[in-house]
Amino acid sequence: MSDEIPLSPKLIELTQAALEHACGSICEGGPLVPFVMWVKPGGDDASELNRFLQPADADGGYDLGESVERAHDFLMSLSGKAERAVFAFDGMLTLEDGEQVDAIFLEAFEVGAEFAYRFAQCYLPASEADEFAPIDEPVLVEEFEPLW
């Protein structure tokens, strides 16, 4: 996380914990189940973790797009219940040259902050020949209006 972005030390810590959890979840080649890691106000800074995996059909498949929507809906419901939160999901980041790369997206929120932030950690997915490998450091993709 960049020093120029005005994140509180506690939000930086939560964002890094969410990134570590996300990387650990996909390092063996599995999908990243969208999740929200959050901290209750006035607490001891212990985080809660809620995962969202929406079944797609009776055959046991899952709809990751719908899972992301459910996680986002949950994040919005945390207004007044969370001091800070990070929403993590897997996707593709389009680079300036039009190339698309695998990325873990992290949306970081904190009560009272002027902005919320979307970061992306690009990575090479695990394959039979190679292990999961992050590419460089997380990058700031967007600043946006906080949800709460």
Side-chain angles (χ1 to χ4, degrees):
M1 310 297 142
S2 170
D3 292 333
E4 295 110 35
I5 303 166
L7 297 177
S8 72
K10 289 183 177 186
L11 186 56
I12 290 171
E13 184 179 314
L14 186 65
T15 304
Q16 289 174 333
L19 179 58
E20 288 173 15
H21 180 79
C23 289
S25 295
I26 61 175
C27 71
E28 298 298 323
L32 172 60
V33 174
F35 67 87
V36 176
M37 188 177 283
W38 58 287
V39 175
K40 294 177 183 176
D44 59 4
D45 289 334
S47 62
E48 305 276 337
L49 179 70
N50 294 83
R51 292 181 184 87
F52 299 86
L53 193 55
Q54 183 66 31
D57 52 42
D59 296 333
Y62 293 96
D63 183 334
L64 290 178
E66 181 68 24
S67 299
V68 167
E69 287 182 33
R70 296 274 311 267
H72 188 264
D73 290 346
F74 175 77
L75 177 66
M76 290 177 57
S77 78
L78 290 176
S79 178
K81 301 174 190 169
E83 180 143 334
R84 58 192 161 280
V86 177
F87 167 36
F89 58 97
D90 197 17
M92 301 296 288
L93 178 66
T94 302
L95 303 177
E96 289 180 10
D97 64 4
E99 178 185 2
Q100 290 193 320
V101 295
D102 289 291
I104 297 166
F105 290 93
L106 303 152
E107 294 185 357
F109 302 86
E110 188 162 38
V111 170
E114 183 178 1
F115 295 105
Y117 301 92
R118 180 175 296 123
F119 298 95
Q121 172 63 68
C122 298
Y123 68 90
L124 297 172
S127 66
E128 290 182 24
D130 297 311
E131 294 181 0
F132 164 87
I135 301 171
D136 297 322
E137 296 293 318
V139 295
L140 176 64
V141 176
E142 180 181 14
E143 281 184 354
F144 57 98
E145 194 72 29
L147 297 177
W148 32 263

